[in-house]
Amino acid sequence: MTEAASPPVSGTHRWVSLMVHDLAASQEFYHSLFGWEFEEGPAQLGPYVQALLDGHPVAGLGEIAQGVRRLVTWLPYIATRDADATAMLIRDCGGTVAVGPLDVDQVGRLAIAADVGGAAFGIWQGGPRRHGPFQGPAGAPCWNELIAADTSGVSKFYSVVFGYDTVPVPGAPADLDYLALHLDGHKVAGIRGVGGALPHDRGPHWLTYFSVPDVDEALRRVVALGGRQLSEPEDSSFGRWARVTDPEGAPFAVLRPAR
């Protein structure tokens, strides 16, 4: 979570972070699954560590205050050149801003918001540099996807706030409600409409995909380490993937990117 030499492009997904109830146990799970090592994060964020692959930061883990119970979920942070202006635009477009914007030493200026459907995400004015979609090493986040009831209303929110173009997936089945979010012709994230299959206990939410060399082996390891498998592996134009949760119930996906 160190600041990049030059500001990232607004709308790109720069970071993912997870707040958990048992930080030590979560570190053990993700170390065993992805090979992450950890170092202490900014003290201003409380109990917080950066996950490292080959010495490079790829994600963050923080601990929820003792006695506070809440759903555990991976949170994507989307780049902005002006966190305050973006926070104002989020409110103007029907979203909410729950935290910030606030300055965090050696990190940047952050806020936590929710879109018109209630899905939480972060905005981030600052670094670090990140691999682009499907270019990170095994164990790194490689894609973020919004899970919503449908794509129509919420896609307009993200297009206005972050300047995305919404593009249907070429060759997708006619009944698949899916849009890719593009910046300057490059895919940066997706929206998947699932209708009545939206989880009742979670509602709309962002799902982070992590790159793995073998999806089936990753599923076996998730279950052996105390997580759960939520779906059977599927093959898509993006690659082979499946949905899982960690032991605290945070959903994420494992993906072997298409070559």
Side-chain angles (χ1 to χ4, degrees):
M1 267 173 116
T2 55
E3 189 166 355
S6 59
V9 176
S10 292
T12 53
H13 285 225
R14 308 309 300 174
W15 190 251
V16 291
S17 190
L18 178 67
M19 298 297 293
V20 298
H21 295 100
D22 188 333
L23 183 56
S26 293
Q27 288 179 255
E28 183 176 350
F29 172 83
Y30 286 103
H31 169 74
S32 298
L33 181 61
F34 294 136
W36 291 353
E37 302 294 339
F38 299 94
E39 67 178 19
E40 294 297 321
Q44 189 176 346
L45 298 177
Y48 189 91
V49 295
Q50 297 179 71
L52 308 177
L53 274 177
D54 299 325
H56 299 289
V58 293
L61 295 176
E63 191 162 70
I64 298 167
Q66 189 172 4
V68 176
R69 305 304 300 177
R70 71 184 195 200
L71 284 175
V72 176
T73 188
W74 280 99
L75 193 73
Y77 281 81
I78 305 174
T80 174
R81 296 291 181 94
D82 187 332
D84 295 87
T86 300
M88 185 177 298
L89 186 56
I90 287 168
R91 295 186 183 99
D92 289 345
C93 290
T96 58
V97 178
V99 177
L102 53 86
D103 291 322
V104 177
D105 292 343
Q106 300 179 330
V107 175
R109 190 159 175 79
L110 312 180
I112 298 174
D115 63 29
V116 291
F121 62 94
I123 57 174
W124 187 338
Q125 180 184 338
R129 298 187 186 279
R130 268 279 316 278
H131 296 280
F134 307 127
Q135 295 175 3
C142 59
W143 188 245
N144 284 319
E145 184 176 272
L146 176 63
I147 308 300
D150 61 75
T151 62
S152 58
V154 72
S155 64
K156 297 175 184 176
F157 170 87
Y158 286 97
S159 293
V160 173
V161 174
F162 295 108
Y164 296 138
D165 294 318
T166 55
V167 181
V169 177
D175 61 346
L176 179 64
D177 185 13
Y178 195 97
L179 291 173
L181 302 176
H182 284 217
L183 276 176
D184 298 325
H186 300 286
K187 296 188 296 289
V188 295
I191 304 177
R192 184 185 296 270
V194 298
L198 196 66
H200 296 297
D201 63 338
R202 191 169 292 273
H205 62 281
W206 280 92
L207 181 72
T208 296
Y209 287 62
F210 294 91
S211 177
V212 295
D214 186 318
V215 169
D216 298 271
E217 175 60 23
L219 292 176
R220 287 191 286 271
R221 290 188 59 77
V222 165
V223 174
L225 293 167
R228 289 192 301 133
Q229 179 178 340
L230 297 182
S231 70
E232 293 300 318
E234 296 182 36
D235 293 306
S236 71
S237 59
F238 297 107
R240 185 169 174 82
W241 68 282
R243 291 182 298 112
V244 297
T245 75
D246 69 13
E248 288 203 20
F252 62 97
V254 290
L255 169 74
R256 184 182 185 277
R259 304 303 178 190

